[in-house]
Amino acid sequence: MSGAAFPAAGGGTEPVPSVDLAAEWREIAAEAEPRVLEVLRSQQFVLGPAVASFEQAVAGRIGVAHAMGVASGSDALLLSLMALDVGPGDEVVTSAFTFFATASAITRLGATPVFADVRRDDFLLDPEAVRAAVGPRTRVLLPVHLYGQCADFPALDAIARSAGAAIVEDAAQAIGAARDGRAAGTVGDLAAFSFYPTKNLGAAGDAGLVTTGDDRLAARVRRLRVHGSEKRYEHLEVGINSRMDGIQGALLEVKLRRLDAWTRARAARAARYDGLIASAGLDGHVATPVVHPGSLHVFHQYVVRAERRDDLRAHLAARGISSEVYYPIPLHLQECFADLGWRRGDLPETERAAAESLALPIYPQLSDAQQDRVVEAIAAFYR
Ligand SMILES: *Cc1c(COP(=O)(O)O)cnc(C)c1O
């Protein structure tokens, strides 16, 4: 798409997608293509020097001692819980307003997810609800830094300490985020990141990362990701096969150098949405995201609460404007977790969030004209 596709502010008719990966690729292709080709020529496809180099770079950016490249964010969660020996009889307190993998990592190990409700203002785990959900079997608290804003670290820290539980951060949407001066990926005993292509730092396929400040846990994850092996064909325990590909490491290292600029662009887009929505007088119909003082929100998504959400979404779609719902069915109501015994009404704020939230298009290359069109279309709906 050329710049000419959006001739005049507000006047365009081009579709507004939810993400524009092609625009991102155009920014980095010249730098990334030779690096990827280098990996192909080296034939070092699994882990290898490109992954080691990325691991070091991303650990430095996050400010954490250890970063381990794995096959996906889902596996990063699974490996983090495996490294803590979570298993049958253990409970993990987490959110039901998140991507499926947050909870499936728990059940895959035979442990039980205990869902705590989220707060109405920020969609993040409510520390009071977490405190009430903690019991004698609680081994881990698993907060999700949903949409790119960190969970309430100090409160969760205090609960984990008094319960003798570990913390695993689901930081899949939150690379670069921080709260009260502490970065996502540095607060928990372990943290899981995803580089799924549409994440703020996206691979050319599936990839993920585990971070930890603990030498022993880092060594454990390194061996669990290669079938529990430290020396070839000697298996100390049963792990899984979950390693980052060399091509992903090479590409991600190139993209990492752009991450801070891209994050600033996302935050600027978010602030501009706030302003446009307020000046269109939409406050009564659309609630804009809450960013806490001391919170560095990286706006993986810009999520509003909207009156008559589904009708608004259809109205936008009819005008070529994409929007998404993350997530329409909370995890406690998923068919596959029916045997856990949760009922509609058990998590009122989670269920309300699933019914009211709407993610508007946000990505670094989103233009002013595109943003104007989105907000004008919302205003037309409520007029
Ligand atoms: C993307 C995501 C995951 C899973 O990551 P994959 O790389 O897709 O496996 C886990 N949790 C959350 C909150 C996510 O957004």
Side-chain angles (χ1 to χ4, degrees):
M1 231 184 297
S2 73
F6 304 100
T13 51
E14 286 291 313
V16 184
S18 282
V19 290
D20 189 350
L21 294 180
E24 186 182 282
W25 177 247
R26 282 194 295 276
E27 279 189 31
I28 60 150
E31 210 178 324
E33 282 172 4
R35 291 297 319 275
V36 169
L37 206 57
E38 226 172 84
V39 176
L40 291 177
R41 288 184 175 136
S42 77
Q43 298 286 299
Q44 303 223 37
F45 293 126
V46 179
L47 294 175
V51 171
S53 172
F54 169 66
E55 287 175 337
Q56 209 177 355
V58 76
R61 171 61 189 82
I62 291 168
V64 71
H66 306 282
M68 286 72 70
V70 301
S72 69
S74 302
D75 278 2
L77 286 163
L78 186 67
L79 285 162
S80 295
L81 296 177
M82 288 172 81
L84 293 168
D85 292 308
V86 169
D90 294 335
E91 292 181 351
V92 178
V93 177
T94 191
S95 173
F97 193 54
T98 175
F99 182 62
F100 180 68
T102 312
S104 66
I106 300 165
T107 59
R108 278 279 298 272
L109 296 174
T112 305
V114 177
F115 298 114
D117 214 350
V118 294
R119 286 171 51 128
R120 189 175 299 184
D121 63 347
D122 60 12
F123 306 104
L124 302 173
L125 267 185
D126 180 347
E128 286 317 306
V130 170
R131 204 184 303 278
V134 165
R137 292 176 180 276
T138 304
R139 285 284 321 282
V140 178
L141 308 186
L142 208 179
V144 182
H145 306 327
L146 198 68
Y147 306 142
Q149 178 159 235
C150 292
D152 187 342
F153 285 146
L156 294 174
D157 243 3
I159 296 166
R161 254 198 307 274
S162 75
I167 292 181
V168 171
E169 301 168 61
D170 184 338
Q173 302 184 0
I175 191 158
R179 191 154 171 181
D180 299 321
R182 301 161 84 194
T186 68
V187 172
D189 297 81
L190 298 129
F193 291 87
S194 167
F195 304 121
Y196 184 75
T198 57
K199 296 280 157 74
N200 287 22
L201 182 65
D206 280 311
L209 190 82
V210 179
T211 59
T212 182
D214 183 307
D215 297 351
R216 194 185 51 83
L217 290 173
R220 189 85 190 279
V221 170
R222 281 204 179 89
R223 112 184 171 195
L224 284 166
R225 74 178 169 178
V226 288
H227 283 306
S229 169
E230 284 174 6
K231 258 169 91 183
R232 221 166 159 210
Y233 302 124
E234 290 179 21
H235 300 273
L236 303 161
E237 62 179 322
V238 177
I240 61 175
N241 172 18
S242 182
R243 302 159 303 194
M244 185 183 283
D245 289 338
I247 287 173
Q248 308 304 354
L251 176 62
L252 288 167
E253 192 170 351
V254 171
K255 285 196 178 183
L256 183 63
R257 294 197 273 273
R258 293 283 206 295
L259 182 66
D260 288 341
W262 283 341
T263 300
R264 280 193 298 275
R266 283 176 182 274
R269 293 289 122 205
R272 194 164 181 277
Y273 266 135
D274 289 346
L276 291 172
I277 289 168
S279 56
L282 289 167
D283 311 53
H285 306 289
V286 171
T288 55
V290 167
V291 181
H292 295 288
S295 167
L296 202 170
H297 192 322
V298 298
F299 286 101
H300 173 58
Q301 299 296 343
Y302 181 90
V303 175
V304 299
R305 280 181 194 268
E307 215 173 74
R308 294 188 285 132
R309 191 267 319 269
D310 293 337
D311 293 341
L312 171 61
R313 193 171 177 219
H315 168 91
L316 295 175
R319 283 150 189 79
I321 296 166
S322 291
S323 62
E324 301 286 343
V325 176
Y326 306 107
Y327 296 87
I329 305 174
L331 299 186
H332 69 298
L333 301 178
Q334 293 287 346
E335 177 89 35
C336 65
F337 295 141
D339 59 349
L340 295 174
W342 293 83
R343 295 274 175 277
R344 188 167 291 280
D346 286 344
L347 299 171
E349 288 303 331
T350 294
E351 292 162 29
R352 176 196 262 266
E356 295 181 348
S357 60
L358 189 67
L360 303 181
I362 191 163
Y363 45 89
Q365 301 82 8
L366 186 72
S367 70
D368 285 359
Q370 286 174 305
Q371 262 196 305
D372 292 343
R373 278 196 60 217
V374 173
V375 178
E376 278 162 22
I378 296 172
F381 176 74
Y382 289 113
R383 203 167 282 142

